[in-house]
Amino acid sequence: MPDQRLTRHLLSDRIFHWITAASVLALLATSLLPIMGVQFSWIAVHWIAGIVLTAVILFHIVRATFWQELRSMWVSAYDIKVALTSLNPVGPTKLKPGKYSFAQKFIHLGFTIFTFVAIGTGLVMMVKIDTPFWTRDPYWLESATWGWVYVAHGVSTLAFVTMVMLHIYFALRPEKLLYTRSMIKGWITYDEYRQHHDSARWKIPSAGESSKH
Ligand code: HEM
Ligand code: HEM
């Protein structure tokens, strides 16, 4: 059945994605708007969004390791070959990716690296602010070490701005809207699957068979 629906993202993964998106956008807005001159008390919203992001990322890592297919996000030599052959419009065969394309895996890697940098440095910076749980201690690290922590946090912010812009741009392009729908509603059609994916690399279980999602 060409318009039969196949699950691409389970509800728990979609909820994870949208909480991640909301917390990252909140982190960027609360940190960058004051620099652009929009003044408001941003620190509490910023660190709470950072804690939410940390919690959902931990959930995602556990789920990806034990319930999902780690290999589906691993950049392989085949993915690079698919990406290169797709640049050649008159190439002999059109190779198709598995569940995720090279570009998607690459930006996932970027998000992973810079999320770790942002969360790691952000948690250390929490020592410098008053929270309901402790009072600030600005002398916990040497001032030069604090400097590096701030540089790393700032570099991850810059990387996030670039990655989020690219990511949203591609998500909204007409030929990628099927994936945006799948991140909202969960499914793509069997026809879309056949057209865009290599069924040997992204295996869809036949009815009744159980699978890792
Ligand atoms: C060590 C860290 C991480 C590991 C091992 C990991 C692993 C994975 C894997 C294996 C998938 C594919 C799941 C599937 O479709 O079968 C995936 C999807 C995804 N990852 Fe990660 N990831 C990590 C970090 C991150 C970070 C930091 C973010 C966000 C900033 C993120 C966001 C996503 C999203 C939105 C998806 C698609 C939703 C889904 O279907 O699960 N991941 N990840
Ligand atoms: C608000 C606008 C956003 C839209 C419309 C959007 C849309 C999407 C779509 C369509 C996918 C691909 C799902 C698939 O392959 O089936 C995806 C995956 C993913 N999203 Fe987002 N997203 C948004 C914000 C964010 C933000 C702010 C982050 C930052 C952490 C993020 C992190 C990810 C990651 C890491 C993946 C997995 C890699 C990939 O498939 O590209 N998303 N998102």
Side-chain angles (χ1 to χ4, degrees):
M1 289 291 283
D3 53 3
Q4 190 192 339
R5 294 172 181 183
L6 306 174
T7 303
R8 183 164 167 88
H9 301 291
L10 288 181
L11 182 63
S12 55
D13 302 320
R14 285 178 270 149
I15 293 174
F16 154 70
H17 174 268
W18 293 114
I19 297 180
T20 310
S23 54
V24 167
L25 294 175
L27 285 159
L28 290 176
T30 49
S31 55
L32 298 178
L33 286 176
I35 297 175
M36 293 182 214
V38 185
Q39 299 302 334
F40 60 101
S41 57
W42 58 276
I43 289 223
V45 184
H46 190 78
W47 72 256
I48 291 168
I51 299 293
V52 171
L53 179 65
T54 311
V56 291
I57 295 295
L58 288 176
F59 160 82
H60 172 62
I61 294 174
V62 171
R63 222 183 109 57
T65 310
F66 297 107
W67 283 275
Q68 291 176 304
E69 201 59 74
L70 270 184
R71 255 181 322 160
S72 69
M73 224 10 134
W74 194 257
V75 180
S76 67
Y78 175 81
D79 297 319
I80 297 171
K81 200 162 126 195
V82 178
L84 290 176
T85 57
S86 74
L87 297 176
N88 178 0
V90 289
T93 47
K94 277 268 161 270
L95 296 175
K96 287 181 277 183
K99 185 170 181 184
Y100 296 100
S101 67
F102 172 71
Q104 286 176 313
K105 292 179 180 184
F106 194 65
I107 203 150
H108 180 270
L109 184 64
F111 275 128
T112 302
I113 292 169
F114 288 108
T115 301
F116 281 126
V117 175
I119 288 180
T121 51
L123 290 178
V124 170
M125 286 153 86
M126 294 281 290
V127 174
K128 265 203 162 187
I129 58 166
D130 287 326
T131 69
F133 313 104
W134 61 81
T135 47
R136 64 198 297 266
D137 176 7
Y139 306 108
W140 192 59
L141 294 176
E142 300 263 326
S143 64
T145 317
W146 276 123
W148 285 112
V149 172
Y150 279 78
V151 167
H153 204 70
V155 167
S156 68
T157 311
L158 284 183
F160 262 101
V161 171
T162 312
M163 292 187 303
V164 167
M165 281 167 63
L166 272 174
H167 182 67
I168 296 179
Y169 168 78
F170 281 107
L172 298 180
R173 280 190 62 89
E175 77 277 10
K176 300 281 187 275
L177 281 178
L178 70 143
Y179 298 116
T180 307
R181 185 195 56 215
S182 81
M183 199 40 103
I184 297 168
K185 297 186 173 173
W187 51 269
I188 63 170
T189 66
Y190 191 68
D191 234 14
E192 290 165 340
Y193 169 67
R194 287 274 304 273
Q195 219 180 325
H196 301 288
H197 299 276
D198 181 334
S199 58
R201 287 168 198 274
W202 180 23
K203 292 199 177 76
I204 295 293
S206 45
E209 218 179 289
S210 71
S211 101
K212 278 180 153 194
H213 284 284

